[in-house]
């Protein structure tokens, strides 16, 4: 019986290993094929300055339109790409797509607009990182954008290396935002060690405003802290007026969420920004 059990168990384990290998293998091949096949594209979500209630920038978000699976959310393929080093190729591609849109995009704004890009902490350690960043910045129309890199705390293990990279980025006039703030570990430690420009307050905190969840008091603490540290704040996932009012009244600098707009393709985005910025101007006079 033990022999048979052992045999069955090892067959089971082998099948598991084989399947996970196959899965990994396929996803990697699929991403590379998708890159070649131009299945990836970018959408932009408007970011609203809460004082003026105008769109002052956008966040670029990567999308994958798979020929069979349909739209695959970035949460699925980014995490995978991070473990396989594919994140570098994906980000290079993403930057090229954004740079190609940038000449058109600048025409939607009368002032220097903020252009936010999500950067994986895994990419920051790679040899090509500085070249990738410089290539991207040089491909943008001159003086049209303030580039902001959004970096999640998750995966940011080597603090010393992160500090070095952040300083390099700042020397190259790139602003830094900690994304999904509050979802990583030892979040508060980073605030002391890093020179940052923005904290992006995670949607979980924003949801706590009208759902009165247990973490609601934490949001107030975070907001008081950012005020003290003179950090600008961006609230993500704003879906209701109640949330927006609360965040504005508590000094949050920027608002972003479905209440204003979903991420949009460049063509629709252009009209949206122009309409929104005109309409809001009349509304407030
Ligand atoms: P993120 O950077 O925190 O981006 C915000 C996500 O929240 C986006 O999801 C956006 O569509 C969604 N969102 C915005 N407003 C609302 C709202 O009011 N309600 C709800 N329910 N959701 C809202 P998306 O596009 O699916 O992206 C998910 C994550 O994938 C991003 O989170 C980011 O971490 C990652 N990601 C996306 N594009 C890239 C990329 O080019 N590079 C890297 N490294 N990561 C990326
Ligand atoms: Mg982001
Ligand atoms: Mg975020
Ligand atoms: Mg998020």
């Amino acid at each position: 019986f033990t022999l048979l059990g052992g045999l069955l168990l090892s067959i089971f384990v082998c099948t598991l290993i084989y399947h996970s290998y196959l899965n990994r293998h396929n996803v990697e091949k699929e991403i590379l094929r998708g890159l070649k096949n131009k299945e990836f594209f970018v959408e932009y979500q408007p970011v609203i300055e809460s004082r003026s209630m105008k769109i002052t920038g956008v966040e670029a978000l990567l999308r994958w339109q798979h020929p069979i699976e349909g739209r695959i959310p970035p949460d699925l393929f980014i995490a995978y790409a991070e473990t396989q080093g594919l994140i570098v190729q994906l980000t290079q591609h993403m930057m090229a797509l954004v740079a190609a849109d940038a000449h058109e995009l600048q025409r939607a704004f009368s002032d220097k607009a903020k252009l936010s890009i999500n950067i994986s902490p895994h990419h920051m350690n790679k040899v090509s990182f500085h070249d990738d960043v410089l290539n991207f910045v040089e491909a943008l129309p001159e003086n049209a954008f303030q580039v902001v890199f959004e970096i999640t705390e998750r995966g940011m293990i080597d603090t010393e290396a992160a500090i070095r990279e952040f300083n390099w980025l700042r020397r190259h006039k790139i602003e830094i935002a900690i994304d999904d703030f509050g979802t990583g570990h030892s979040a508060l430690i980073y605030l002391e060690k890093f020179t940052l420009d923005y904290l992006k307050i995670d949607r979980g905190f924003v949801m706590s405003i009208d759902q009165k969840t247990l973490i609601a008091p934490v949001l107030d603490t975070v907001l008081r802290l950012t005020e003290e540290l003179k950090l600008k704040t961006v609230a993500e996932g704003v879906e209701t007026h109640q949330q927006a009012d609360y965040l504005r009244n508590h000094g949050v600098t920027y608002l972003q969420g479905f209440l204003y707009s979903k991420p949009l393709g460049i063509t629709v985005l252009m009209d949206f920004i122009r309409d929104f910025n005109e309409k809001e101007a009349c509304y407030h006079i």
Side-chain angles (χ1 to χ4, degrees):
F1 175 76
T2 11
L3 199 71
L4 187 68
L7 193 69
L8 283 176
L9 187 70
S10 54
I11 289 174
F12 177 64
V13 170
C14 284
T15 317
L16 265 186
I17 291 170
Y18 177 73
H19 271 281
S20 62
Y21 167 75
L22 203 69
N23 258 336
R24 276 208 306 274
H25 198 64
N26 277 343
V27 181
E28 177 162 8
K29 258 176 39 193
E30 277 302 293
I31 291 177
L32 290 170
R33 190 198 47 73
L35 280 168
K36 236 168 136 183
N37 213 21
K38 302 206 181 342
E39 289 163 14
F40 291 90
F41 62 101
V42 182
E43 286 186 329
Y44 301 89
Q45 189 174 33
V47 178
I48 290 100
E49 185 188 45
S50 50
R51 193 179 46 80
S52 63
M53 287 308 282
K54 287 208 193 290
I55 299 170
T56 51
V58 292
E59 177 179 5
L61 294 154
L62 193 59
R63 270 84 186 87
W64 185 5
Q65 186 66 43
H66 191 279
I68 295 155
E69 303 293 325
R71 226 163 140 155
I72 303 177
D75 283 329
L76 289 183
F77 65 83
I78 297 280
Y80 175 82
E82 282 177 334
T83 64
Q84 298 303 304
L86 280 172
I87 190 67
V88 175
Q89 283 174 72
L90 271 179
T91 308
Q92 288 168 344
H93 187 64
M94 151 85 169
M95 286 173 158
L97 293 171
V98 173
D101 284 340
H103 282 270
E104 184 171 4
L105 184 59
Q106 71 165 322
R107 293 194 285 115
F109 295 95
S110 47
D111 296 323
K112 198 171 195 167
K114 292 189 191 299
L115 180 56
S116 299
I117 303 278
N118 293 282
I119 297 293
S120 162
H122 293 83
H123 191 173
M124 288 200 305
N125 308 325
K126 297 289 189 300
V127 277
S128 71
F129 184 62
H130 291 182
D131 283 342
D132 293 339
V133 173
L134 294 176
N135 286 339
F136 172 62
V137 173
E138 277 157 24
L140 296 176
E142 221 173 312
N143 285 323
F145 297 102
Q146 170 61 56
V147 175
V148 181
F149 279 1
E150 297 190 4
I151 302 161
T152 54
E153 307 162 274
R154 273 169 288 126
M156 208 143 61
I157 299 152
D158 186 348
T159 315
E160 291 307 310
I163 291 173
R164 217 173 41 239
E165 291 312 315
F166 283 9
N167 288 337
W168 185 86
L169 289 170
R170 291 172 67 93
R171 279 204 302 282
H172 289 83
K173 306 216 161 44
I174 292 168
E175 291 190 319
I176 296 158
I178 293 293
D179 207 346
D180 299 335
F181 181 75
T183 61
H185 24 250
S186 57
L188 297 172
I189 302 285
Y190 290 124
L191 293 188
E192 234 207 334
K193 294 200 171 167
F194 295 158
T195 348
L196 304 169
D197 300 285
Y198 310 89
L199 270 197
K200 287 200 85 166
I201 297 158
D202 190 66
R203 190 165 78 91
F205 286 120
V206 173
M207 277 163 35
S208 77
I209 294 169
D210 35 42
Q211 293 176 3
K212 304 257 181 301
T213 61
L214 279 175
I215 59 164
V218 183
L219 174 63
D220 295 339
T221 310
V222 168
L223 293 179
R224 267 199 303 275
L225 191 72
T226 52
E227 203 183 327
E228 215 143 287
L229 295 169
K230 303 215 168 13
L231 279 175
K232 289 173 275 185
T233 41
V234 188
E236 64 178 23
V238 180
E239 292 184 352
T240 69
H241 285 288
Q242 194 188 340
Q243 291 167 348
D245 291 344
Y246 186 93
L247 294 161
R248 289 182 71 189
N249 291 337
H250 286 75
V252 170
T253 337
Y254 298 94
L255 306 171
Q256 185 182 352
F258 294 170
L259 177 63
Y260 305 105
S261 174
K262 296 194 169 187
L264 303 169
I266 182 75
T267 314
V268 180
L269 174 83
M270 294 296 290
D271 287 336
F272 184 85
I273 295 174
R274 289 194 184 109
D275 287 353
F276 187 97
N277 280 355
E278 268 169 36
K279 189 179 74 219
E280 288 296 318
C282 302
Y283 195 82
H284 276 266
I285 287 166

